[in-house]
Amino acid sequence: MKKLGFVFSSAPHGSASGREGLDAVLATSNYSEDLVLFFVGDGVLQLLAGQSPGVVLCRDYISTFKMLSLCDVEEIYVCKDSLTERGLGDVPLIIDAKKVSTEDITVYLGQCIKVLNF
């Protein structure tokens, strides 16, 4: 069965995209186990620990990413090139995610029947 891909490419708290994407993943996980998540570009910032969204009057949804393991979402890829570009290559992430190259992400995206961007 082909997989459903979710691409997170926007920074957290600047818009509702990240939160809406996470909500979509959690809702979809009730109906399918073939989900793949990709964090690219500024989307890698979604997975950084120690954020203080209350300072900019935003809701803290980042810790909700930890629920992905409870929903059997296991294929999670983070673009290591995006992390490096932002000086975050060695920063720990809030969830277990495989750091892969941009080329690998392109290959994995090609294996998805549909891709949703957030």
Side-chain angles (χ1 to χ4, degrees), residues 1-7 28 32-38 72-77 107-116:
M1 180 177 208
K2 288 265 190 168
K3 299 175 186 222
L4 182 60
F6 291 84
V7 177
T28 306
S32 176
E33 294 178 3
D34 293 323
L35 306 181
V36 186
L37 276 59
F38 303 93
D72 294 326
V73 178
E74 298 171 354
E75 281 191 75
I76 303 171
Y77 301 103
V107 171
Y108 296 142
L109 280 169
Q111 297 171 354
C112 295
I113 192 167
K114 294 285 183 188
V115 177
L116 294 102

Side-chain angles (χ1 to χ4, degrees), residues 21-75:
L22 179 57
D23 288 345
V25 169
L26 294 173
T28 306
S29 71
N30 289 320
Y31 302 101
S32 176
E33 294 178 3
D34 293 323
L35 306 181
V36 186
L37 276 59
F38 303 93
F39 293 86
V40 299
D42 286 341
V44 299
L45 303 173
Q46 301 277 348
L47 301 180
L48 298 180
Q51 298 187 38
S52 301
V55 173
V56 291
L57 304 175
C58 290
R59 189 179 106 202
D60 184 11
Y61 68 91
I62 299 298
S63 59
T64 309
F65 278 106
K66 295 177 184 176
M67 289 185 59
L68 294 173
S69 62
L70 298 173
C71 299
D72 294 326
V73 178
E74 298 171 354
E75 281 191 75

